[in-house]
């Protein structure tokens, strides 16, 4: 089974981050992982380097930090589930950098965070902090955006998150292979149905379509270890067209609870391509998206 030992949930105490915390809490329970709850306090920005920060400002930020710690402890207490006890932490600095630094320094295996981004092309960004973390994190990032599905039931007795159907997007790259391990692990942990989908960029001619689809389905099935097949339901799917459109439409048609997608390296070209498929799936998809970096 995939090892997920430490999960980080950054929070700004909004409804968005609160909903994301439900996922982090559920994952921590399933994987018996340590759960970190982080809030970042932004420092005073002084326009003149020779200007000394008065003691009153330092005192104010000390009080602000204490208040944030109290809020975090209360948040963790109210949202406690089972034997998972969140480890609370407050950092001071630029939000994105603080989250990334904390993840590196504490060997975090997965970041779970909410995004304020709205669904649809009228909003071209997911939310600056979430998007920057998604692009630069060295570990997988689960992005949770509202509106939430009814399979998330915080406050109910038992499991607050029910992942019944997971959609994994494959392009047969090395990055995709890594992402598949997470899809298989989650499917077995939650006893979910796992949809393996590959989208052909060019629509095959009618006379070759069935042959091409059969070839793709065979390739998808060959990626699943035999021992996993008895632990979850696997369904390979072949489609053709624009990748993000087919993935989003399939997720909607199947009422998928989670999309798992691989993100290639982090050089300049990859960052440009981030918006072409992965970003649009994150932006337009009807459910949370787990992005796995190569």
């Amino acid at each position: 089974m995939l090892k997920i030992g430490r999960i980080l949930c950054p929070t700004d105490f909004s409804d968005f981050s609160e909903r994301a915390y439900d996922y982090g809490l559920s994952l921590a329970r399933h994987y018996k992982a340590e759960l970190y709850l982080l809030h970042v306090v932004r420092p005073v920005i002084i326009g003149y380097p020779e200007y000394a920060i008065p003691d009153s400002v330092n005192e104010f930020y000390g009080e602000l930090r204490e208040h944030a710690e109290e809020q975090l402890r209360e948040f963790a207490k109210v949202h406690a589930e089972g034997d998972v006890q969140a480890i609370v932490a407050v950092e001071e600095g630029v939000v994105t950098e603080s989250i990334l630094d904390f993840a590196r320094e504490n060997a975090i295996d997965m970041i779970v965070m909410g995004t304020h981004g709205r669904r649809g092309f009228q909003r071209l960004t997911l939310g600056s902090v979430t998007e920057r973390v998604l692009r630069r994190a060295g570990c997988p990032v689960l992005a949770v955006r509202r509106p939430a599905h009814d399979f998330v039931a915080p406050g109910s007795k038992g499991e607050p998150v029910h992942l019944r159907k997971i959609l994994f997007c494959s392009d047969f790259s090395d990055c995709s292979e890594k992402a598949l391990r997470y899809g298989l692990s989650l499917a077995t942990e939650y006893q979910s149905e796992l949809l393996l989908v590959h989208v052909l960029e060019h629509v095959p001619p009618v006379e070759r379509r069935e042959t091409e689809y059969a070839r793709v389905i065979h390739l998808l099935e060959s990626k699943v270890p035999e021992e996993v097949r008895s632990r979850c339901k696997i369904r390979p799917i072949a489609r053709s067209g624009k990748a993000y459109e087919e993935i989003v439409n399939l997720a909607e048609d199947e009422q998928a609870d989670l999309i798992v997608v691989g993100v290639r390296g982090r050089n300049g070209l990859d960052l440009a391509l981030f918006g072409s498929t992965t970003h649009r799936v994150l932006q337009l998809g009807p459910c949370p998206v787990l992005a796995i970096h190569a």
Side-chain angles (χ1 to χ4, degrees), residues 17-284:
S17 55
E18 181 175 346
R19 182 51 56 93
Y21 184 74
D22 294 325
Y23 282 89
L25 187 62
S26 176
L27 287 165
R29 290 178 61 189
H30 276 268
Y31 286 91
K32 296 180 173 56
E34 292 181 341
L35 181 62
Y36 290 80
L37 186 59
L38 172 69
H39 178 71
V40 180
V41 177
R42 298 180 184 180
V44 174
I45 299 176
I46 301 298
Y48 302 95
E50 68 277 7
Y51 184 82
I53 299 177
D55 291 340
S56 59
V57 174
N58 287 327
E59 290 176 6
F60 169 75
Y61 272 87
E63 293 175 359
L64 193 62
R65 186 185 184 100
E66 289 180 6
H67 179 62
E69 289 176 351
E70 290 178 5
Q71 279 187 290
L72 283 176
R73 285 192 290 269
E74 182 62 25
F75 182 96
K77 181 180 177 181
V78 170
H79 293 80
E81 288 284 348
D83 57 354
V84 178
Q85 297 295 323
I87 301 168
V88 301
V90 176
E91 298 289 333
E92 184 176 330
V94 178
V95 178
T96 303
E97 300 299 329
S98 297
I99 292 171
L100 294 171
D101 288 344
F102 187 93
R104 282 191 295 267
E105 292 167 4
N106 292 276
I108 295 299
D109 297 306
M110 183 180 292
I111 299 172
V112 181
M113 59 193 306
T115 170
H116 297 238
R118 298 173 184 172
R119 187 167 181 238
F121 282 110
Q122 73 273 15
R123 183 66 178 266
L124 298 179
T125 61
L126 288 165
S128 58
V129 173
T130 305
E131 184 169 9
R132 288 170 189 162
V133 171
L134 278 161
R135 288 175 182 264
R136 297 170 54 194
C139 63
V141 179
L142 176 61
V144 181
R145 188 195 58 239
R146 295 182 73 182
H149 287 254
D150 57 6
F151 61 85
V152 180
S156 63
K157 292 183 179 180
E159 178 61 74
V161 177
H162 301 280
L163 298 180
R164 298 163 297 190
K165 192 174 291 189
I166 298 171
L167 193 158
F168 165 71
C169 313
S170 174
D171 62 2
F172 301 118
S173 65
D174 291 342
C175 177
S176 184
E177 294 279 347
K178 180 179 178 181
L180 177 59
R181 295 201 298 270
Y182 284 86
L184 292 171
S185 178
L186 287 165
T188 54
E189 277 294 325
Y190 287 87
Q191 297 183 331
S192 311
E193 180 179 12
L194 180 63
L195 312 182
L196 308 178
V197 59
H198 175 74
V199 180
L200 296 166
E201 294 181 359
H202 304 290
V203 180
V206 175
E207 64 273 14
R208 288 172 41 204
R209 194 165 301 170
E210 287 189 16
T211 302
E212 283 293 296
Y213 283 179
R215 179 182 65 84
V216 168
I217 288 174
H218 175 72
L219 282 173
L220 290 170
E221 289 181 329
S222 70
K223 301 295 182 182
V224 182
E226 193 62 40
E227 63 270 17
V228 175
R229 299 176 186 274
S230 61
R231 301 174 62 188
C232 62
K233 182 179 179 181
I234 304 293
R235 178 151 55 103
I237 299 172
R239 289 200 170 187
S240 55
K242 288 186 178 180
Y244 78 89
E245 288 183 348
E246 294 299 324
I247 291 166
V248 169
N249 290 338
L250 181 62
E252 290 179 334
D253 293 343
E254 294 285 346
Q255 296 186 329
D257 299 326
L258 176 69
I259 297 173
V260 179
V261 60
V263 181
R264 299 189 185 184
R266 287 170 283 179
N267 59 34
L269 177 61
D270 291 321
L271 290 178
L273 292 174
F274 184 86
S276 64
T277 298
T278 306
H279 186 210
R280 287 183 176 179
V281 171
L282 284 157
Q283 177 194 24
L284 300 172

